[in-house]
Amino acid sequence: MNFSDSIFAELASRGINKVFAVPGGGNMFLLNAACSNPQLEVIFCHNEQAAAIAAEGYYKVSRTPAVCLVTSGPGCTNAITGIVGAWLDSSSMIVLAGQVKTDDLKVGELRQKGPQEIDFVRMMAGYCLVAHEFKTSNQAELMKVLNQSECSPRGGPVVLSVPLDVQNSRVEFDEQFNSVIVNSSNKTGFDFCPLFEVLSKSSRPAILFGEGCRDISPDMLKSLFKLCEKLRIACLFSWLSYDLLPWDSPANMGRPGNVAKRHSNFVVQTSDVLIILGSRLDHTQSAFDANRFGVNATAYLIDVDQNELDKMPARFNKILSNSSVFATRFVEFFMQLSSPPYRDSWWDYCQSLKAQFGRERPVNASRSALDIDEVVDFLSTWIPAGATIVTGSSGLSVEIFHVGFRNKADQRIFLTTALGAMGFGLPAAIGVAQIARINELFLFESDGSLMMNLQELATLRGIKKRILIFL
């Protein structure tokens, strides 16, 4: 067994079994190890950016990391867009990159020594959980790096660079290192009772659920949403989280932001208590003015990342905690309570706003062409419950989709929001197609974005998976 074999054996022992790869001379031993391991499935992409995006798409739906395997030099630089997008959206993956032999690694200020050599670890250091280059085939070093990444409160890529000679170094797999450190980063000590007391006395309460709420178990989420409806608490969502609750649920008040239906923003701005749970409240949500977001409300921000809390204005009550802890405490506190009568007017107001503006569409000038709003309206009705829908990440058609799509129960809908890279849709859908339980898979993409990774249609044909594409 060489070091490459031991890397993939360890990853497989942690439940990682998908590898999205582009072959090259710089990763030849890693590639051979991946293909030789019966626990792994290797999917060959046609560009490293696509391999990284496919790994992100796979994680977003399966919640299990995949490997993005690339060669040295340009293979690494091609992958950067996908890696950075995953970092900003807290999506986990393992990036294994080939590198020149250790004797050919540059030192000091020399620009390059080995052929196709770049300092990939230094490039990626600020955009991943861990960036590490192995200079020896030290098994303990491998375990330390992987365990370190699993202790982060947020997901993200792990970037590992392996020089050619280290890839092929002979090692013995030592069972004493075959252990996983359990993530103990969930914050459980905060006393939510004062917050819940304020919420229970609120006349116009609302909760904004972000992507971080995917840490909450499905059963707990159902209980939480059922309580929100019972207690007349308006539920709001981000573009990454709105598939958590069907659009037609009475509690669902949509997706606020600077590109949004009006009723969602009205609910935010008229609430008197606003809880922001597992959402970093970026500029597209706050319309570049967080200080006036929910301006009439006592606002609470709950997040696992202290840096996200620190960036917000002082008017927010900031709580460092995991969303699943909040959900558990919320259900325990409110389970036996009833909605106070004075909330009925708030609920009626929310429902009237949704009825008036929830399906509002721009006035269409007299022309015969089909517009995107009509397509999104049709897809809202036509795509069945339980389907998976991947979209592109930038452009007008994508924005219209996420503003207007009326999601059904158990649909999974996603894009990459923070980086918003064109070319995302097709490779992300290919990543999702590798999940065995996915039956009905749809891609909604813009023409310009599809062109960025058009070559992955050949990948799609090679893996013989079915994706219905709306362009």
Side-chain angles (χ1 to χ4, degrees), residues 197-249:
E197 291 290 350
V198 172
L199 184 63
S200 65
K201 297 173 183 176
S202 164
S203 298
R204 304 183 305 278
I207 301 177
L208 171 59
F209 296 87
E211 172 77 351
C213 294
R214 295 196 187 278
D215 291 337
I216 305 171
S217 72
D219 288 342
M220 183 60 67
L221 264 179
K222 288 180 181 177
S223 299
L224 193 157
F225 288 137
K226 186 178 294 186
L227 274 175
C228 284
E229 184 175 341
K230 172 186 172 184
L231 299 172
R232 304 297 196 247
I233 300 173
C235 297
L236 300 154
F237 300 90
S238 70
W239 282 11
L240 282 178
S241 66
Y242 70 85
D243 58 359
L244 293 174
L245 184 66
W247 185 89
D248 61 3
S249 167

Side-chain angles (χ1 to χ4, degrees), residues 384-432:
T388 302
I389 306 161
V390 184
T391 77
S393 291
S394 59
L396 182 60
S397 63
V398 170
E399 292 178 349
I400 291 173
F401 181 92
H402 289 287
V403 168
F405 188 77
R406 302 185 306 280
N407 59 296
K408 296 187 180 78
D410 300 320
Q411 288 179 338
R412 181 67 177 96
I413 307 163
F414 73 88
L415 71 167
T416 182
T417 55
L419 190 62
M422 294 181 71
F424 177 83
L426 180 56
I430 287 171
V432 175

Side-chain angles (χ1 to χ4, degrees), residues 277-351:
L277 180 63
S279 173
R280 63 192 184 92
L281 202 64
D282 66 20
H283 286 323
T284 61
Q285 289 174 288
S286 67
F288 292 83
D289 191 357
N291 215 26
R292 291 188 58 78
F293 186 84
V295 67
N296 294 304
T298 301
Y300 295 86
L301 186 65
I302 302 169
D303 204 285
V304 294
D305 189 338
Q306 186 65 51
N307 297 300
E308 297 291 352
L309 298 175
D310 291 343
K311 79 177 185 185
M312 300 302 291
R315 62 173 283 258
F316 287 86
N317 298 283
K318 304 170 186 180
I319 300 170
L320 184 66
S321 179
N322 187 286
S323 57
S324 62
V325 176
F326 170 88
T328 301
R329 303 287 188 270
F330 180 95
V331 171
E332 290 171 352
F333 186 95
F334 287 105
M335 186 175 293
Q336 304 303 324
L337 300 184
S338 301
S339 176
Y342 53 78
R343 280 194 194 154
D344 289 347
S345 61
W346 167 246
W347 200 245
D348 292 342
Y349 171 73
C350 290
Q351 300 306 314

Side-chain angles (χ1 to χ4, degrees), residues 137-259:
S137 55
N138 188 316
Q139 199 68 31
E141 186 179 357
L142 170 65
M143 299 297 298
K144 179 181 178 181
V145 170
L146 293 176
N147 289 340
Q148 178 185 349
S149 69
E150 292 183 356
C151 290
S152 172
R154 291 177 69 175
V158 174
V159 175
L160 306 177
S161 175
V162 191
L164 269 170
D165 54 328
V166 177
Q167 291 178 35
N168 199 35
S169 295
R170 294 292 165 182
V171 295
E172 293 297 324
F173 190 79
D174 193 335
E175 290 293 338
Q176 69 174 313
F177 296 121
N178 190 18
S179 61
V180 178
I181 296 178
V182 177
N183 186 347
S184 59
S185 61
N186 291 352
K187 307 296 180 181
T188 60
F190 187 84
D191 181 10
F192 286 102
C193 287
L195 184 162
F196 294 153
E197 291 290 350
V198 172
L199 184 63
S200 65
K201 297 173 183 176
S202 164
S203 298
R204 304 183 305 278
I207 301 177
L208 171 59
F209 296 87
E211 172 77 351
C213 294
R214 295 196 187 278
D215 291 337
I216 305 171
S217 72
D219 288 342
M220 183 60 67
L221 264 179
K222 288 180 181 177
S223 299
L224 193 157
F225 288 137
K226 186 178 294 186
L227 274 175
C228 284
E229 184 175 341
K230 172 186 172 184
L231 299 172
R232 304 297 196 247
I233 300 173
C235 297
L236 300 154
F237 300 90
S238 70
W239 282 11
L240 282 178
S241 66
Y242 70 85
D243 58 359
L244 293 174
L245 184 66
W247 185 89
D248 61 3
S249 167
N252 190 333
M253 289 297 119
R255 313 142 207 170
N258 59 356
V259 182

Side-chain angles (χ1 to χ4, degrees), residues 35-55:
C35 293
S36 301
N37 190 317
Q39 294 178 276
L40 303 176
E41 180 182 5
V42 181
I43 301 94
F44 291 102
C45 299
H46 285 71
N47 182 278
E48 290 85 1
Q49 182 190 104
I53 292 173

